[in-house]
């Protein structure tokens, strides 16, 4: 399904909607590629370990991330595509390729930081997404609130945060 455009090099992480892999592009650059299962309209459902969106929800996620990237609040989308199992009449997988952001995920950062001050954050996620339990620095928390407020003002809603 990827053709010759993207070469898989390893797993980066995952969450309730999909998994993220590291891929190399034809330009020699390293990118992050989020993959998610897609259900036909009317067959969408929550599953034990996440959400399986429709093609329309996938398209909205691509559009939302593209708009958030223009606001410097998300990585730039450089490609997106869907794949179909030969036995299916509709797409079964969706992929979003974006600029790779260096660093650690929020759950790991907060949980391993072991700070004793700031804003307490605790959320349990389904594996493989890391759960969060610890303090976020006041300044970082305010930046997150400001970013979410900007997204809200623009009508961009985050469903997998």
């Amino acid at each position: 399904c990827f053709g010759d455009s993207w070469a898989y090099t390893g797993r980066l992480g995952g969450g309730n909607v999909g998994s993220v892999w590291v891929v190399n592009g034809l330009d020699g650059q390293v990118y992050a590629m989020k993959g998610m299962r897609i259900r036909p309209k009317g067959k969408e459902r929550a599953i034990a370990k996440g959400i399986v969106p429709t093609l329309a929800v996938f398209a909205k996620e691509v559009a939302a991330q593209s708009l958030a990237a223009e606001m410097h609040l998300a990585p730039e989308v450089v490609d997106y595509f869907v794949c179909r199992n030969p036995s299916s009449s509709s797409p079964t997988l969706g992929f979003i390729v974006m600029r790779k952001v260096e660093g650690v995920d929020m759950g790991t950062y907060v949980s391993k930081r072991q700070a004793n001050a700031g804003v307490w954050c605790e959320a349990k996620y389904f594996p493989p997404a890391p759960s969060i339990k610890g303090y976020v620095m006041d300044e970082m928390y305010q930046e997150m609130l400001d970013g979410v407020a900007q997204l809200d003002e623009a009508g961009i809603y985050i469903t997998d945060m």
Side-chain angles (χ1 to χ4, degrees), residues 96-131:
I96 304 172
V97 182
M98 62 200 85
R99 301 263 177 225
K100 184 175 179 280
V101 176
E102 295 299 326
V104 298
D105 64 79
M106 186 72 172
T108 301
Y109 173 79
V110 170
S111 299
K112 290 189 176 181
R113 199 170 145 262
Q114 297 184 348
N116 295 321
V119 177
W120 179 256
C121 292
E122 185 172 357
K124 179 139 181 69
Y125 298 108
F126 292 116
S131 294

Side-chain angles (χ1 to χ4, degrees), residues 6-159:
W6 306 104
Y8 170 85
T9 62
R11 189 170 191 281
L12 191 58
N16 289 332
V17 176
S19 295
V20 181
W21 301 280
V22 178
V23 295
N24 290 329
L26 292 175
D27 59 3
Q29 297 292 311
V30 177
Y31 297 92
M33 181 171 68
K34 180 178 182 179
M36 62 190 77
R37 293 191 313 171
I38 296 176
R39 294 266 184 220
K41 186 175 181 173
K43 304 237 181 203
E44 62 271 29
R45 62 186 169 101
I47 58 172
K49 292 189 176 183
I51 301 163
V52 181
T54 62
L55 183 59
V57 171
F58 172 75
K60 286 178 184 177
E61 182 159 343
V62 171
Q65 183 168 335
S66 297
L67 291 170
E70 290 176 12
M71 300 167 69
H72 306 288
L73 295 171
E76 176 190 1
V77 174
V78 296
D79 194 9
Y80 58 93
F81 52 95
V82 295
C83 300
R84 178 180 63 82
N85 184 312
S87 65
S88 176
S89 61
S90 59
T92 53
L93 295 171
F95 296 93
I96 304 172
V97 182
M98 62 200 85
R99 301 263 177 225
K100 184 175 179 280
V101 176
E102 295 299 326
V104 298
D105 64 79
M106 186 72 172
T108 301
Y109 173 79
V110 170
S111 299
K112 290 189 176 181
R113 199 170 145 262
Q114 297 184 348
N116 295 321
V119 177
W120 179 256
C121 292
E122 185 172 357
K124 179 139 181 69
Y125 298 108
F126 292 116
S131 294
I132 297 173
K133 188 173 186 177
Y135 288 95
V136 174
M137 295 179 295
D138 290 328
E139 183 179 336
M140 179 184 282
Y141 182 75
Q142 189 58 52
E143 286 181 23
M144 289 188 290
L145 286 179
D146 292 346
V148 170
Q150 289 176 51
L151 294 171
D152 283 347
E153 279 182 33
I156 303 169
Y157 302 98
I158 304 166
T159 59

